[in-house]
């Protein structure tokens, strides 16, 4: 094996944060093989400089080699051998001070290796080879993706070219695999054969689902160890599943892989199912928030293949205003950017290049040298990562994710600064930094996670849960149990569909609902039959729609029942609110304002009205907070289309409670403020209170107000 070649001076062997820890601006060029003979690397450099990117991702190898390879079964066109597009790109970029990260993909083989190496390929339960787009799929557990092929390709590229790392495409499974390597590894782990049939009531199937995440991690960790051996300055990224992406197939689980890559990258666009992309404007920020919780040492990367929502192959053809809106969410939620253009630029790229440039500029401003900014959050929303896998069955979208989407939208709309963590985050994170936790039908929890919830509430935290949260134990999530009922203050029985699919919640006399000014709230879907325990109060009860026989047109109020829909209790020094129905999912599927108001009121009650941020901004504006050593950044992302900029008579006002910010500005004697767009902003530190008041005349698409502590008291 040849030695690792000497790399560009100044990039290797340096102490301090890795270059990818903050401020990453990656531009990806997707070359097609038809473009090989007219790839213009000088134009590539020029476009990269125009966009303000500092790193490019270009085709490297795996399925096809984009250089004259010597690795067996690594398919290279004659043009790739003659022209060496990867090598020419690396030389041109090096001269311009731009990093090059080759894209690699070992998910298939295009060079006919099947006859010689049948064990490299993924198989179904009957032993047939899985294929994708006409090419045989390989298995992450096979030697192909590890020592016998992938390692050779990585070593060949890194030893020949002065690159800055690798980006792995399609790193996980493409389907359930029954190849000899998976069979052997599963048997070694569980002393059993892989179940032939997908049966969610079969414990060995559930074990297989979890084992696949482990198998992918073993594979990715191997690739990372090879890459690290080739140079400590090499980045390693790969596409994780984001919220809503089917976990069962790829098994690229962000929790399992949280330390397997240099930084966590999620793809949005095609990765997000149509209903989410169509209905929620907030899916980019959601993806960033979900992975941001895993690492404080590096910022996440958002891969915005937005156009793939509509097309089969990357083409940045969304409207620039929509693309900018997605970019602003990534910036507001602490992510770096990896944005794609075509290989040989065409008019579609020219169309969106200004939006891409604006995004990189915002990242550069947000991230001066130093560690990543950390989010400032008053509330943590738990995303149902394990729940989607173990309780979601074949409908993770309906049973798990949709509850999360509704809760997410409700928090954005209510301008609550919040972080996202998964179930295991309840154990691994310091929960005392949050005033409240929101668990939207997070059905599967471990005993340890339930214990963490109890301690959090007993110590004074607020808790908002819904539906079957915590009813299933992660050791055997097939049947519900009484788990968590004691903390929630209800005895939960069967899950019942609401008669006729619709009904209402009757608002009872309770402090939680006192400010709502409504008698009934919409209620649809399912309700868990819940009996309040002693000390539990009922804030909303179920009211059944009357059957008027189809002949009467007169109004009759819904029939009152005793079934509890929303209960409250105190537990130790904390407060618990529980929705027996699918309140968060209902807000997602039927975004009625009264549903949002009730969800917001539940959180306020759980927090005993404590809030770190209040504002008169419209619900269509997302507000996030980020802290660094001496500044607090307040980001505003406006979901309205340009021209609909939010403006009220007196402007947009934000009141921050500095005691709850956990930021350097909490103790600063004086504050100065600046905005990215340069618009005027007034800041008032209200004497004798903990309030900081910001006032902006308007919020266009994106705004950042930066508060700097000029001197600590
Ligand atoms: Zn396999």
């Amino acid at each position: 094996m040849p030695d690792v070649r000497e790399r560009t001076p100044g990039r290797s062997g340096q102490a301090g944060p890795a270059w990818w820890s903050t401020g990453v601006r990656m531009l990806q060029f997707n070359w097609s093989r038809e473009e090989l003979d007219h790839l213009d690397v000088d134009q590539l450099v020029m476009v990269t400089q125009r966009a303000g990117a500092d790193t490019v991702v270009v085709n490297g190898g795996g399925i096809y080699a984009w250089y004259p390879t010597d690795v067996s079964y690594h398919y290279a066109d004659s043009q790739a051998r003659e022209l060496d597009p990867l090598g020419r790109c690396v030389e041109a970029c090096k001269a311009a001070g731009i990093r090059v990260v080759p894209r690699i993909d070992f998910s298939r083989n295009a060079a006919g290796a099947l006859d010689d190496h049948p064990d490299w390929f993924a198989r179904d339960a009957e032993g047939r080879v899985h294929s994708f787009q006409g090419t045989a799929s390989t298995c992450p557990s096979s030697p192909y993706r590890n020592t016998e092929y992938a390692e050779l390709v990585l070593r060949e590229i890194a030893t020949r070219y002065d690159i800055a790392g690798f980006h792995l495409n399609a790193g996980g499974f493409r389907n359930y695999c029954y190849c000899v390597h998976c069979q052997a590894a599963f048997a070694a782990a569980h002393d059993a054969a892989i179940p032939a049939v997908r049966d969610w009531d079969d414990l060995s199937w559930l074990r297989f689902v979890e084992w696949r995440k482990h198998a992918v991690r073993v594979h990715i960790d191997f690739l990372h160890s090879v890459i690290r051996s080739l140079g400590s300055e090499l980045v390693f990224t790969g596409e994780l599943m984001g919220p809503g992406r089917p976990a069962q197939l790829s098994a690229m689980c962000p929790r399992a892989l949280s330390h397997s890559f240099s930084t966590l990258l999620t793809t949005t666009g095609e990765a997000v199912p149509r209903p989410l992309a169509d209905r929620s404007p907030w899916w980019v920020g959601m993806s960033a928030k979900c992975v941001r919780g895993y690492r404080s040492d590096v910022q996440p990367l958002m891969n915005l293949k937005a156009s793939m929502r509509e097309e089969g192959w990357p083409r940045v053809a969304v409207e620039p205003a929509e693309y900018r809106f997605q970019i602003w969410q990534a910036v507001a939620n602490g992510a770096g950017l990896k944005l794609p253009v075509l290989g040989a630029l065409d008019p579609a790229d020219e169309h969106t290049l200004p939006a891409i440039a604006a995004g990189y500029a915002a990242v550069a401003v947000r991230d001066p040298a130093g560690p990543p900014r950390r989010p400032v959050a008053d509330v943590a929303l738990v995303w149902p990562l394990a729940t989607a896998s173990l309780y979601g069955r074949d409908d993770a979208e309906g049973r798990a994710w949709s509850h999360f989407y509704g809760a997410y939208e409700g928090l954005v709309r209510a301008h609550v600064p919040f972080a996202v963590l998964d179930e295991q985050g309840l154990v691994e994170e310091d929960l005392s930094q949050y005033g409240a936790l929101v668990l939207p039908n997070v059905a599967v929890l471990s005993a340890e996670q339930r214990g963490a919830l109890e301690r959090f509430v007993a110590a004074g935290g607020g808790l908002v849960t819904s539906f079957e949260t915590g009813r299933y134990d992660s050791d055997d999530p097939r049947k519900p149990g009484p788990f968590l009922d004691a903390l929630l203050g209800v005895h939960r029985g069967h899950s019942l569909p609401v008669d006729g699919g619709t009904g209402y919640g009757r608002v009872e006399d309770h402090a939680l609902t006192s400010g709502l000014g409504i008698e009934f709230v919409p209620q649809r879907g399912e309700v868990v039959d819940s009996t309040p325990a002693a000390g539990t109060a009922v804030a909303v009860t179920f009211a059944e729609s009357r059957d008027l026989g189809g002949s009467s047109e007169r109004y009759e109020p819904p029939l009152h029942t005793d079934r509890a829909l929303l209960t409250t209790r105190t537990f130790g020094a904390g407060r618990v609110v529980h929705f027996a129905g699918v309140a968060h999912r209902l807000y997602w599927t039927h975004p009625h304002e009264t549903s949002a108001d009730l969800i917001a009121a539940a959180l306020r009650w759980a927090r005993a009205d404590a809030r770190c941020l209040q504002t008169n901004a419209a619900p269509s504006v997302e507000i996030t907070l980020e802290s660094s050593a001496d500044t607090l950044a307040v980001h505003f992302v406006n979901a309205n289309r340009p021209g609909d900029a939010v403006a009220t008579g007196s402007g947009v006002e934000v009141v921050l409670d500095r005691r709850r910010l956990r930021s350097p500005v909490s103790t600063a004697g004086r504050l100065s403020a600046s905005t990215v767009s340069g618009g005027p902003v007034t800041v008032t530190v209200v004497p004798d209170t903990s309030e900081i008041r910001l006032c902006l005349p308007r919020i266009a698409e994106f705004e950042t107000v930066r508060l700097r502590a000029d001197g600590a008291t």
Side-chain angles (χ1 to χ4, degrees):
M1 196 62 63
D3 291 339
V4 176
R5 58 171 288 161
E6 194 174 328
R7 306 207 175 276
T8 305
R11 278 198 242 146
S12 57
Q14 287 185 338
W19 65 261
W20 56 81
S21 64
T22 190
V24 174
R25 290 163 281 147
M26 279 185 181
L27 188 61
Q28 176 165 5
F29 291 83
N30 280 301
W31 293 333
S32 73
R33 289 160 71 208
E34 293 73 34
E35 294 170 331
L36 266 172
D37 57 355
H38 59 279
L39 285 177
D40 183 344
V41 293
D42 294 328
Q43 187 202 31
L44 180 148
V45 168
M46 192 188 70
V47 167
T48 304
Q49 289 172 329
R50 249 179 75 199
D54 59 7
T55 306
V56 298
V57 177
V58 294
N59 308 39
I63 303 173
Y64 301 109
W66 296 78
Y67 65 96
T69 180
D70 293 325
V71 174
S72 301
Y73 306 106
H74 197 193
Y75 184 88
D77 289 304
S78 57
Q79 286 161 304
R81 292 190 179 281
E82 284 165 26
L83 300 173
D84 189 9
L86 176 61
R88 286 196 295 136
C89 174
V90 168
E91 288 311 309
C93 286
K94 183 178 176 182
I98 298 165
R99 298 184 195 94
V100 177
V101 173
R103 172 187 184 272
I104 47 174
D105 186 334
F106 302 111
S107 66
R108 291 178 284 154
N109 179 271
L114 183 58
D115 289 343
D116 296 342
H117 295 279
D119 71 308
W120 283 359
F121 293 86
R123 308 270 173 174
D124 66 15
E126 279 79 45
R128 292 174 297 226
V129 173
H130 285 299
S131 65
F132 181 68
Q133 293 176 347
T135 316
S137 294
T138 58
C139 175
S141 301
S142 75
Y144 176 86
R145 294 231 209 156
N146 295 283
T147 54
E148 291 182 8
Y149 180 82
E151 180 178 359
L152 308 185
V153 172
L154 295 174
R155 288 192 183 281
E156 183 176 71
I157 293 174
T159 49
R160 283 194 195 171
Y161 304 113
D162 187 0
I163 56 165
F166 289 98
H167 173 69
L168 178 68
N169 192 62
F173 290 97
R174 202 173 282 284
N175 217 319
Y176 297 111
C177 182
Y178 293 79
C179 77
V180 291
H181 303 290
C182 284
Q183 294 280 9
F186 185 74
H190 290 291
D191 197 21
I194 298 174
V197 182
R198 188 168 62 206
D199 176 0
W200 297 100
D201 291 316
D202 175 3
L203 204 53
S204 65
W205 178 261
L206 297 174
R207 288 194 177 120
F208 176 54
V209 167
E210 290 303 291
W211 172 84
R212 295 172 81 247
K213 300 174 189 170
H214 168 76
V216 169
R217 188 179 71 202
V218 169
H219 163 57
I220 302 288
D221 283 349
F222 172 77
L223 295 183
H224 201 179
S225 72
V226 171
I227 291 167
R228 269 195 293 247
S229 77
L230 293 165
S232 62
E233 76 288 6
L234 299 182
V235 74
F236 181 37
T237 59
E239 293 176 314
L240 297 164
M241 95 201 173
R245 192 169 186 178
Q248 281 83 356
L249 289 184
S250 80
M252 290 283 284
C253 173
R255 158 65 59 186
L257 300 174
S258 59
H259 288 80
S260 299
F261 291 105
S262 308
T263 179
L264 299 182
L265 178 148
T266 50
T267 290
T268 61
E270 62 152 1
V272 179
R274 288 295 300 267
L276 179 57
D278 287 351
R279 281 201 221 123
S280 174
W282 300 116
W283 47 274
V284 174
M286 185 189 291
S287 296
K289 266 193 163 77
C290 283
V291 293
R292 193 182 195 182
Y294 293 114
R295 298 275 290 267
S296 59
D297 59 327
V298 290
Q299 69 182 174
L301 271 174
M302 291 306 302
N303 187 34
L304 294 181
K305 292 198 282 192
S307 57
M308 292 183 76
R309 190 178 71 203
E310 304 291 346
E311 310 290 340
W313 182 238
R315 176 173 289 265
V316 184
V318 288
E319 280 303 305
E322 184 186 354
Y323 203 52
R324 283 197 303 275
F325 172 56
Q326 293 164 356
I327 289 170
W328 302 143
Q329 289 179 53
V331 175
N333 285 287
L337 298 172
K338 173 175 168 287
L339 306 176
V341 290
L342 292 172
L345 291 179
D346 79 355
D349 293 313
E350 288 295 336
H351 197 53
T352 40
L353 209 56
I356 290 172
Y360 291 144
V363 167
V365 169
R366 184 196 58 194
D367 297 323
R373 294 174 178 277
R374 61 174 183 79
V376 176
D378 198 29
V379 167
L381 171 64
V382 179
W383 68 308
L385 189 61
T387 297
S389 175
L390 296 172
Y391 164 94
R393 298 182 166 234
D394 290 324
D395 182 22
E397 178 79 14
R399 289 170 61 85
W401 295 118
S402 54
H403 299 262
F404 173 72
Y405 302 153
Y408 189 98
E409 295 239 327
L411 289 170
V412 172
R413 183 187 185 278
H415 303 301
V416 175
F418 68 103
V420 172
L421 32 129
D422 70 10
E423 296 95 337
Q424 186 58 15
L426 295 171
V427 173
E428 296 189 1
E429 269 219 48
D430 171 17
L431 298 182
S432 70
Q433 65 186 297
Y434 303 114
L437 302 172
V438 178
L439 279 73
N441 195 30
V442 180
V444 180
L445 294 173
S446 69
E448 196 183 11
Q449 292 158 1
R450 295 191 297 268
L453 282 179
E454 277 191 15
R455 287 192 298 279
F456 172 77
V457 178
L463 177 65
V464 178
T465 65
S466 64
F467 200 46
E468 297 206 272
T469 291
R471 284 193 97 189
Y472 297 80
D473 186 79
S474 56
D475 281 344
D476 183 357
R478 293 174 298 176
K479 295 231 162 31
F483 314 112
L484 217 65
D485 282 8
L487 175 60
L488 303 184
V490 291
H491 303 294
R492 287 183 285 185
H494 294 295
S495 171
L496 311 163
V498 171
D499 296 340
T502 60
Y504 290 90
R506 192 180 74 166
V507 173
E508 306 294 348
D509 185 20
H510 188 290
L512 187 157
T513 54
S514 62
L516 291 178
I518 46 176
E519 271 184 272
F520 292 97
V521 291
Q523 174 62 42
R524 292 176 189 222
E526 298 159 279
V527 175
V528 176
D529 196 16
S530 301
T531 309
T536 296
V538 179
V540 178
T541 46
F542 180 62
E544 207 169 313
S545 290
R546 285 178 197 265
D547 182 359
L548 299 179
S551 58
S552 171
E553 292 183 359
R554 67 185 195 283
Y555 171 74
E556 293 283 349
L559 288 165
H560 180 233
T561 73
D562 289 333
R563 197 182 302 163
L565 274 183
L566 178 60
T567 55
T568 67
R569 70 168 307 196
T570 55
F571 181 90
R575 293 176 165 207
V576 178
V577 182
H578 177 66
F579 291 92
V582 292
H584 297 107
R585 187 174 77 193
L586 182 65
Y587 180 52
W588 172 251
T589 55
H590 299 80
H592 199 284
E593 293 230 334
T594 50
S595 296
D597 290 346
L598 186 64
I599 289 170
L603 182 61
R604 274 202 304 277
W605 189 87
R607 291 284 288 116
D609 277 329
R611 275 175 282 183
C612 79
L613 186 153
Q614 295 183 68
T615 180
N616 65 351
S620 55
V621 175
E622 177 185 25
I623 303 178
T624 65
L625 304 175
E626 289 190 306
S627 184
S628 69
D630 60 352
T631 62
L632 178 76
V634 187
H635 301 293
F636 300 83
V637 182
N638 188 354
N640 288 325
R641 288 289 172 262
D644 299 340
V646 175
T648 62
S650 58
V652 175
E653 191 171 76
V654 173
V655 181
L656 299 169
D657 183 338
R658 59 199 291 178
R659 292 170 307 181
R660 302 185 193 283
L661 290 177
R662 299 172 62 98
S663 155
V665 305
S666 298
T667 53
R670 286 184 301 130
L671 296 173
S672 61
S674 58
T675 59
V676 166
S677 71
V681 55
T682 58
V683 179
T684 314
V685 179
V686 185
D688 303 322
T689 74
S690 60
E691 287 184 0
I692 302 170
R693 288 179 179 270
L694 312 177
C695 191
L696 296 83
R698 61 194 287 275
I699 295 167
E701 288 183 358
F702 177 64
E703 201 75 53
T704 296
V705 176
R706 187 155 292 134
L707 294 171
R708 179 177 297 278
D710 289 337
T713 55

